[in-house]
PDB file of all heavy atoms in Angstrom:
ATOM      1  N   GLU A 332     132.353 101.415  41.104  1.00 96.00           N
ATOM      2  CA  GLU A 332     130.944 100.990  41.143  1.00 96.00           C
ATOM      3  C   GLU A 332     130.035 102.007  40.443  1.00 96.00           C
ATOM      4  O   GLU A 332     128.911 101.689  40.053  1.00 96.00           O
ATOM      5  CB  GLU A 332     130.476 100.824  42.597  1.00 96.00           C
ATOM      6  CG  GLU A 332     130.406 102.119  43.378  1.00 96.00           C
ATOM      7  CD  GLU A 332     129.788 101.936  44.770  1.00 96.00           C
ATOM      8  OE1 GLU A 332     129.843 100.819  45.313  1.00 96.00           O
ATOM      9  OE2 GLU A 332     129.245 102.924  45.290  1.00 96.00           O
ATOM     10  N   LYS A 333     130.546 103.233  40.253  1.00 97.00           N
ATOM     11  CA  LYS A 333     129.720 104.262  39.586  1.00 97.00           C
ATOM     12  C   LYS A 333     129.942 104.236  38.065  1.00 97.00           C
ATOM     13  O   LYS A 333     129.380 105.014  37.323  1.00 97.00           O
ATOM     14  CB  LYS A 333     130.042 105.654  40.129  1.00 97.00           C
ATOM     15  CG  LYS A 333     129.681 105.878  41.602  1.00 97.00           C
ATOM     16  CD  LYS A 333     130.105 107.288  42.025  1.00 97.00           C
ATOM     17  CE  LYS A 333     129.938 107.490  43.521  1.00 97.00           C
ATOM     18  NZ  LYS A 333     128.552 107.548  43.991  1.00 97.00           N
ATOM     19  N   GLY A 334     130.880 103.365  37.638  1.00 97.00           N
ATOM     20  CA  GLY A 334     131.175 103.312  36.203  1.00 97.00           C
ATOM     21  C   GLY A 334     131.945 104.532  35.735  1.00 97.00           C
ATOM     22  O   GLY A 334     131.659 105.090  34.665  1.00 97.00           O
ATOM     23  N   ILE A 335     132.877 104.999  36.582  1.00 98.00           N
ATOM     24  CA  ILE A 335     133.657 106.199  36.237  1.00 98.00           C
ATOM     25  C   ILE A 335     135.146 105.878  36.389  1.00 98.00           C
ATOM     26  O   ILE A 335     135.592 105.520  37.486  1.00 98.00           O
ATOM     27  CB  ILE A 335     133.283 107.380  37.156  1.00 98.00           C
ATOM     28  CG1 ILE A 335     131.815 107.791  36.963  1.00 98.00           C
ATOM     29  CG2 ILE A 335     134.218 108.573  36.913  1.00 98.00           C
ATOM     30  CD1 ILE A 335     131.313 108.774  38.016  1.00 98.00           C
ATOM     31  N   ALA A 336     135.907 105.994  35.296  1.00 98.00           N
ATOM     32  CA  ALA A 336     137.361 105.803  35.335  1.00 98.00           C
ATOM     33  C   ALA A 336     138.050 107.138  35.608  1.00 98.00           C
ATOM     34  O   ALA A 336     139.060 107.206  36.301  1.00 98.00           O
ATOM     35  CB  ALA A 336     137.838 105.245  34.001  1.00 98.00           C
ATOM     36  N   PHE A 337     137.481 108.190  35.049  1.00 98.00           N
ATOM     37  CA  PHE A 337     137.920 109.564  35.331  1.00 98.00           C
ATOM     38  C   PHE A 337     136.868 110.524  34.779  1.00 98.00           C
ATOM     39  O   PHE A 337     135.965 110.125  34.020  1.00 98.00           O
ATOM     40  CB  PHE A 337     139.300 109.856  34.713  1.00 98.00           C
ATOM     41  CG  PHE A 337     139.409 109.568  33.244  1.00 98.00           C
ATOM     42  CD1 PHE A 337     139.021 110.523  32.294  1.00 98.00           C
ATOM     43  CD2 PHE A 337     139.879 108.331  32.788  1.00 98.00           C
ATOM     44  CE1 PHE A 337     139.109 110.252  30.937  1.00 98.00           C
ATOM     45  CE2 PHE A 337     139.970 108.052  31.422  1.00 98.00           C
ATOM     46  CZ  PHE A 337     139.582 109.010  30.489  1.00 98.00           C
ATOM     47  N   HIS A 338     136.968 111.789  35.203  1.00 98.00           N
ATOM     48  CA  HIS A 338     136.099 112.833  34.636  1.00 98.00           C
ATOM     49  C   HIS A 338     136.966 113.690  33.719  1.00 98.00           C
ATOM     50  O   HIS A 338     138.201 113.702  33.862  1.00 98.00           O
ATOM     51  CB  HIS A 338     135.529 113.730  35.744  1.00 98.00           C
ATOM     52  CG  HIS A 338     134.627 113.034  36.703  1.00 98.00           C
ATOM     53  ND1 HIS A 338     133.482 112.372  36.331  1.00 98.00           N
ATOM     54  CD2 HIS A 338     134.717 112.892  38.055  1.00 98.00           C
ATOM     55  CE1 HIS A 338     132.896 111.867  37.397  1.00 98.00           C
ATOM     56  NE2 HIS A 338     133.612 112.168  38.454  1.00 98.00           N
ATOM     57  N   LEU A 339     136.328 114.422  32.818  1.00 98.00           N
ATOM     58  CA  LEU A 339     137.045 115.365  31.951  1.00 98.00           C
ATOM     59  C   LEU A 339     136.527 116.774  32.196  1.00 98.00           C
ATOM     60  O   LEU A 339     135.320 116.971  32.422  1.00 98.00           O
ATOM     61  CB  LEU A 339     136.830 114.990  30.470  1.00 98.00           C
ATOM     62  CG  LEU A 339     137.551 113.714  30.007  1.00 98.00           C
ATOM     63  CD1 LEU A 339     137.065 113.303  28.631  1.00 98.00           C
ATOM     64  CD2 LEU A 339     139.070 113.919  30.029  1.00 98.00           C
ATOM     65  N   ALA A 340     137.436 117.739  32.179  1.00 98.00           N
ATOM     66  CA  ALA A 340     137.059 119.134  32.431  1.00 98.00           C
ATOM     67  C   ALA A 340     137.710 120.037  31.386  1.00 98.00           C
ATOM     68  O   ALA A 340     138.727 119.700  30.795  1.00 98.00           O
ATOM     69  CB  ALA A 340     137.518 119.563  33.830  1.00 98.00           C
ATOM     70  N   ARG A 341     137.051 121.181  31.186  1.00 98.00           N
ATOM     71  CA  ARG A 341     137.603 122.219  30.289  1.00 98.00           C
ATOM     72  C   ARG A 341     138.184 123.313  31.173  1.00 98.00           C
ATOM     73  O   ARG A 341     137.522 123.745  32.139  1.00 98.00           O
ATOM     74  CB  ARG A 341     136.466 122.768  29.399  1.00 98.00           C
ATOM     75  CG  ARG A 341     136.878 123.833  28.427  1.00 98.00           C
ATOM     76  CD  ARG A 341     135.717 124.198  27.487  1.00 98.00           C
ATOM     77  NE  ARG A 341     135.305 123.098  26.629  1.00 98.00           N
ATOM     78  CZ  ARG A 341     134.114 122.490  26.717  1.00 98.00           C
ATOM     79  NH1 ARG A 341     133.260 122.864  27.654  1.00 98.00           N
ATOM     80  NH2 ARG A 341     133.802 121.492  25.916  1.00 98.00           N
ATOM     81  N   LYS A 342     139.399 123.731  30.881  1.00 98.00           N
ATOM     82  CA  LYS A 342     140.035 124.771  31.710  1.00 98.00           C
ATOM     83  C   LYS A 342     139.573 126.135  31.217  1.00 98.00           C
ATOM     84  O   LYS A 342     139.507 126.381  30.009  1.00 98.00           O
ATOM     85  CB  LYS A 342     141.562 124.665  31.581  1.00 98.00           C
ATOM     86  CG  LYS A 342     142.341 125.535  32.565  1.00 98.00           C
ATOM     87  CD  LYS A 342     143.827 125.226  32.440  1.00 98.00           C
ATOM     88  CE  LYS A 342     144.691 126.030  33.373  1.00 98.00           C
ATOM     89  NZ  LYS A 342     146.130 125.668  33.244  1.00 98.00           N
ATOM     90  N   LYS A 343     139.224 127.009  32.152  1.00 98.00           N
ATOM     91  CA  LYS A 343     138.777 128.361  31.776  1.00 98.00           C
ATOM     92  C   LYS A 343     139.436 129.381  32.688  1.00 98.00           C
ATOM     93  O   LYS A 343     139.675 129.096  33.866  1.00 98.00           O
ATOM     94  CB  LYS A 343     137.251 128.482  31.934  1.00 98.00           C
ATOM     95  CG  LYS A 343     136.462 127.849  30.805  1.00 98.00           C
ATOM     96  CD  LYS A 343     135.004 128.207  30.903  1.00 98.00           C
ATOM     97  CE  LYS A 343     134.743 129.623  30.350  1.00 98.00           C
ATOM     98  NZ  LYS A 343     133.279 129.862  30.204  1.00 98.00           N
TER      99      LYS A 343
END
Side-chain angles (χ1 to χ4, degrees):
E332 67 174 25
K333 295 178 188 290
I335 296 169
F337 54 85
H338 296 302
L339 289 169
R341 180 174 296 113
K342 190 174 180 178
K343 282 190 80 169

